Amino acid sequence: PRALVEDRNWLTRNESIGMSEDSADSKKLYCPIEPRPVTTHEAAVIEWLLDYAAVQDVTAFRTTPAAALKVVGHCGCGCCASLDFQPFSKEILPYRMLADAIAKYPDSQQSGLILWGTGESAIAWLEIHDMDPVADRFPDIADLRRWEDLAQP
């Protein structure tokens, strides 16, 4: 698994997707929205990631139930279904990778999922990144796989 990216579990948002801080595209990574509660489905995916795909001890990140999170933004790339739970600013950097998994959809396309946190206990961002043409859909629980289980149907 990609897990801790060469034993570094603290990354900036741009580093996490291979983009420099100076890149013009870095400004498109966060689009604020009117805050809304997470859906039951979104909360279930977050809980699954914490339960089955954690890359470190995530006990402290469970102090706030996933169902209590608010979606405050999304990625501005236009090609993914990533969700932000904290407004993006340099003050909350760096991000800490909490969980890393894959979605294998019924049509055989795949997306990667990385759950990021900040500080010692705040869930900040659910990154859904493309592995096929686009990652424009939110996965169902049945689509989720741990990296080590990827070979299984």
Side-chain angles (χ1 to χ4, degrees):
R2 298 173 13 165
L4 297 180
V5 189
E6 300 173 6
D7 292 329
R8 291 178 60 204
N9 60 341
W10 288 97
L11 298 172
T12 69
R13 185 168 191 159
N14 291 348
E15 284 176 321
S16 77
I17 60 169
M19 184 181 299
S20 75
E21 288 287 334
D22 299 334
S23 170
D25 288 336
S26 71
K27 314 233 181 330
K28 299 177 189 173
L29 292 178
Y30 171 71
C31 290
I33 63 169
E34 186 67 33
R36 66 165 178 83
V38 294
T39 66
T40 302
H41 178 71
E42 291 164 346
V45 168
I46 293 164
E47 292 291 346
W48 187 96
L49 290 167
L50 293 170
D51 288 344
Y52 300 106
V55 297
Q56 62 178 295
D57 181 2
V58 294
T59 304
F61 292 88
R62 293 177 176 276
T63 57
T64 300
L69 293 170
K70 300 277 188 220
V71 178
V72 299
H74 60 84
C75 183
C77 74
C79 298
C80 74
S82 297
L83 300 174
D84 287 277
F85 308 111
Q86 293 183 10
F88 178 70
S89 70
K90 289 192 176 200
E91 288 76 42
I92 66 169
L93 293 177
Y95 283 111
R96 182 179 190 170
M97 185 185 291
L98 304 177
D100 190 11
I102 189 164
K104 187 174 181 182
Y105 300 105
D107 63 4
S108 298
Q109 291 201 15
Q110 299 177 18
S111 295
L113 287 86
I114 302 176
L115 186 62
W116 297 94
T118 59
E120 296 301 318
S121 63
I123 295 173
W125 175 33
L126 175 55
E127 176 184 2
I128 302 177
H129 60 88
D130 59 344
M131 296 178 73
D132 283 308
V134 292
D136 62 350
R137 55 186 147 168
F138 201 86
D140 290 327
I141 295 293
D143 301 330
L144 300 176
R145 306 280 187 281
R146 297 177 313 156
W147 282 95
E148 53 267 30
D149 298 333
L150 187 57
Q152 299 176 10

